[in-house]
Amino acid sequence: TGSLAFSNLAAGATVESIGNGGVSGATADLSAGYVAGATSSTVTFSGGVDSGDLTVTGTGITSQTIKSTGAQNDIDAITLAATTTSVTIDAAAKFATSGALDFGAATSLTITGAGAVDINAAAMDADVIKVDSSASTGDVDVKFADVAATTAATGATITDVADITFVGGAGNDEVSFTVDGDGAGGHELDIDLGAGNDKFTLAEQFQVGSTTKAADKADGGAGTDTLVFAAADAEAQVAVT
């Protein structure tokens, strides 16, 4: 099945891809191009889509909503407008991706709905440092990239604050991240898994706090949770307070 491209979409225009349980294939891409005056975009996948990439463009787009309804919807990669600063995935039905994830200039992702959101086949782009799925009751699976260090506001006592933040909901979540590649001592973590039987996979040891550095935090919340370490890191881990 071929690709589908929309261009010059007006402000307020929404796009829906209806699958009806069919398999369109990895080359059946969907692109949505908006006029310069459009500031938001909503793309809905419904009824069991199984297709290729989603690409959204528009020099004025700042807010992006992706909805999943009906039956499970599977797509490949996501590339959002470079100006995007707010991204929400609202999943009434399961939504899954299998390719690269570029959320524009957004630093956070909000996930809502009762459906599972399985987007950890690839890491999110390195701009995304926070995922808030507190309003989700489905399973949420995400992987953070090797993000840059986050610096606190001017005048703060502790200047080295959390680089990666996750707020879980009621589902059985799976969270992982990419090892810190700049030799700066590891990403600072603020992980709240919420309810459910969750799994948190560490790419490095928990970091110890100091007068200038925030200690890593991992709160399993309710449920039976699993912490996954490499054996060498687990054996070398010191106490974190």
Side-chain angles (χ1 to χ4, degrees):
T1 304
S3 299
L4 184 61
F6 296 94
S7 60
N8 293 317
L9 290 167
T14 63
V15 175
E16 182 173 6
S17 175
I18 302 174
N20 292 326
V23 179
S24 301
T27 60
D29 302 328
L30 172 64
S31 62
Y34 285 81
V35 298
T39 59
S40 65
S41 165
T42 298
V43 176
T44 300
F45 296 96
S46 64
V49 169
D50 188 352
S51 61
D53 302 342
L54 167 65
T55 301
V56 178
T57 58
T59 57
I61 297 294
T62 58
S63 176
Q64 178 69 55
T65 300
I66 299 171
K67 295 185 177 183
S68 177
T69 65
Q72 176 176 335
N73 297 291
D74 299 88
I75 67 170
D76 192 1
I78 298 175
T79 303
L80 301 183
T83 50
T84 304
T85 56
S86 172
V87 181
T88 298
I89 297 176
D90 181 7
K94 182 176 180 178
F95 179 71
T97 60
S98 58
L101 303 173
D102 182 350
F103 293 153
T107 58
S108 65
L109 167 65
T110 301
I111 297 175
T112 62
V117 174
D118 183 356
I119 59 171
N120 65 345
M124 298 174 289
D125 70 80
D127 288 331
V128 180
I129 61 174
K130 180 178 181 179
V131 173
D132 184 351
S133 62
S134 57
S136 169
T137 56
D139 302 345
V140 172
D141 301 342
V142 295
K143 182 177 183 179
F144 290 89
D146 182 6
V147 303
T150 302
T151 303
T154 302
T157 302
I158 296 180
T159 57
D160 192 4
V161 294
D163 303 322
I164 292 173
T165 301
F166 178 83
V167 184
N172 301 326
D173 305 326
E174 295 186 11
V175 181
S176 60
F177 64 97
T178 305
V179 68
D180 186 6
D182 63 8
H187 299 302
E188 281 71 59
L189 308 171
D190 186 355
I191 308 298
D192 182 353
L193 295 170
N197 301 326
D198 309 306
K199 182 169 77 172
F200 179 39
T201 301
L202 284 149
E204 57 203 19
Q205 297 174 38
F206 281 113
Q207 302 300 300
V208 179
S210 69
T211 56
T212 58
K213 183 182 182 72
D216 288 342
K217 171 190 171 184
D219 184 349
T224 301
D225 304 307
T226 303
L227 185 63
V228 180
F229 272 99
D233 284 338
E235 292 169 358
Q237 179 67 62
V238 297
V240 179
T241 58

